[in-house]
Amino acid sequence: MKVAVLDIKGKETGRKADLSDAVFGIEPNNHAVYLDVKQYLAHQRQGTHKSKERAEIAGSTRKIKKQKGTGTARAGSIKSPIFRGGGRIFGPRPKDYTQKLNKNLKRLARKSALSIKSNEKAILVVEDFNFEAPKTKDFVQVLKSLGLENKKSLFVLGDSNNGVYLSSRNLKRSEVVTSSELSTYKILNANNIVLLEGSLEGIVANLNK
């Protein structure tokens, strides 16, 4: 698949980039996408949630009232969950939310996500660029030139570039990653994917292992 290469002003450079059909033109596997996104979101959870149950509450162990004759329900401990300040019944406990997926399935999911975006005509290819110094306004100007200022965008670089990354870090709707950091969730979460020319080779190499 041939796509026109744009400059940072949004104008065509006259060159065409070849997007591999093996990565950007496959039949999407929706179940693989679902599993990979579910794993990504699960791994965002710390799993450190915890509440104290009745055995863990600090408090007196004496019987708080006599067994019979009070006219109310019997009660043996102030730490009972039915009293204020008592333990919690079946409260949350620390849990590991890690999920395992095979590498081939994760690659299939990323290729499926890229193919979905390709079918939606939501992929732009831009020539490699850099900023002399990190400035948010320079990155905003690039977004405006590409018509992405009001859309969620994902910029994919070939290698880490602090000038571009730091310029985008303060923008809520834009994210900058390298080709090795690309994930199914990030691809689908963005309205548009902006691939820098230098990232294409790395993306294809990572997904066609």
Side-chain angles (χ1 to χ4, degrees), residues 8 33 35 46-47 53 60 69 76 82 116 122-123 126 129 139 141 152-153 175 183 199-201 204:
I8 59 174
V33 170
L35 290 174
Q46 287 185 315
E53 300 184 1
S60 173
I82 64 174
I116 290 170
I123 293 180
V126 176
F129 65 91
F139 195 86
Q141 188 57 49
K152 286 198 287 186
S153 58
E175 186 174 2
S183 72
S199 70
L200 296 177
E201 186 177 343
V204 174

Side-chain angles (χ1 to χ4, degrees), residues 4-9 11 13 15 17 124-131 139 142 146 155-161 164 176-179 194-203:
V5 178
L6 308 177
D7 59 20
I8 59 174
K9 295 183 179 179
K11 297 180 180 178
T13 60
R15 301 195 309 277
L124 301 176
V125 179
V126 176
E127 65 181 2
D128 293 329
F129 65 91
N130 195 5
F131 300 129
F139 195 86
V142 173
L146 298 174
F155 281 70
V156 185
L157 312 179
D159 296 305
S160 58
N161 184 325
V164 177
V176 173
V177 298
T178 62
S179 57
V194 180
L195 305 177
L196 269 62
E197 271 189 293
S199 70
L200 296 177
E201 186 177 343
I203 292 172

Side-chain angles (χ1 to χ4, degrees), residues 19-30:
L19 300 184
S20 171
D21 288 337
V23 174
F24 297 90
I26 70 168
E27 181 68 29
N29 187 314
N30 292 330

Side-chain angles (χ1 to χ4, degrees), residues 63-93:
K63 186 172 175 65
I64 58 176
K65 62 181 180 181
K66 64 182 183 178
Q67 179 79 347
K68 293 179 175 292
T70 62
T72 57
R74 55 197 174 187
S77 171
I78 196 67
K79 296 186 282 188
S80 170
I82 64 174
F83 293 127
R84 180 178 179 275
R88 182 169 173 186
I89 305 171
F90 302 130
R93 295 178 175 180

Side-chain angles (χ1 to χ4, degrees), residues 20-201:
S20 171
D21 288 337
V23 174
F24 297 90
I26 70 168
E27 181 68 29
N29 187 314
N30 292 330
H31 190 62
V33 170
Y34 158 74
L35 290 174
D36 201 15
V37 170
K38 186 173 79 164
Q39 184 202 48
Y40 179 90
L41 293 175
H43 287 182
Q44 305 309 299
R45 303 185 69 175
Q46 287 185 315
T48 54
H49 38 54
K50 178 72 174 75
S51 66
K52 290 186 178 181
E53 300 184 1
R54 64 182 295 163
E56 299 165 316
I57 294 290
S60 173
T61 58
R62 75 177 182 87
K63 186 172 175 65
I64 58 176
K65 62 181 180 181
K66 64 182 183 178
Q67 179 79 347
K68 293 179 175 292
T70 62
T72 57
R74 55 197 174 187
S77 171
I78 196 67
K79 296 186 282 188
S80 170
I82 64 174
F83 293 127
R84 180 178 179 275
R88 182 169 173 186
I89 305 171
F90 302 130
R93 295 178 175 180
K95 180 178 177 180
D96 179 10
Y97 285 96
T98 301
Q99 298 178 9
K100 184 183 181 305
L101 289 180
N102 294 330
K103 288 181 181 178
N104 285 339
L105 188 142
K106 290 175 71 69
R107 290 190 193 107
L108 174 61
R110 275 175 283 168
K111 288 192 282 189
S112 297
L114 288 170
S115 296
I116 290 170
K117 289 298 180 183
S118 178
N119 291 336
E120 294 174 353
K121 307 295 183 188
I123 293 180
L124 301 176
V125 179
V126 176
E127 65 181 2
D128 293 329
F129 65 91
N130 195 5
F131 300 129
E132 292 181 4
K135 287 188 178 179
T136 303
K137 67 179 181 181
D138 291 342
F139 195 86
V140 169
Q141 188 57 49
V142 173
L143 292 175
K144 287 181 178 178
S145 299
L146 298 174
L148 303 176
E149 67 269 29
N150 295 319
K151 297 180 180 179
K152 286 198 287 186
S153 58
L154 178 68
F155 281 70
V156 185
L157 312 179
D159 296 305
S160 58
N161 184 325
N162 271 345
V164 177
Y165 170 69
L166 294 175
S167 299
S168 69
R169 194 168 57 172
N170 204 32
L171 298 174
K172 189 176 181 181
R173 292 174 177 265
S174 294
E175 186 174 2
V176 173
V177 298
T178 62
S179 57
S180 60
E181 297 169 337
L182 205 55
S183 72
T184 304
Y185 177 83
K186 289 180 180 179
I187 293 169
L188 295 176
N189 189 46
N191 297 122
N192 288 84
I193 312 296
V194 180
L195 305 177
L196 269 62
E197 271 189 293
S199 70
L200 296 177
E201 186 177 343

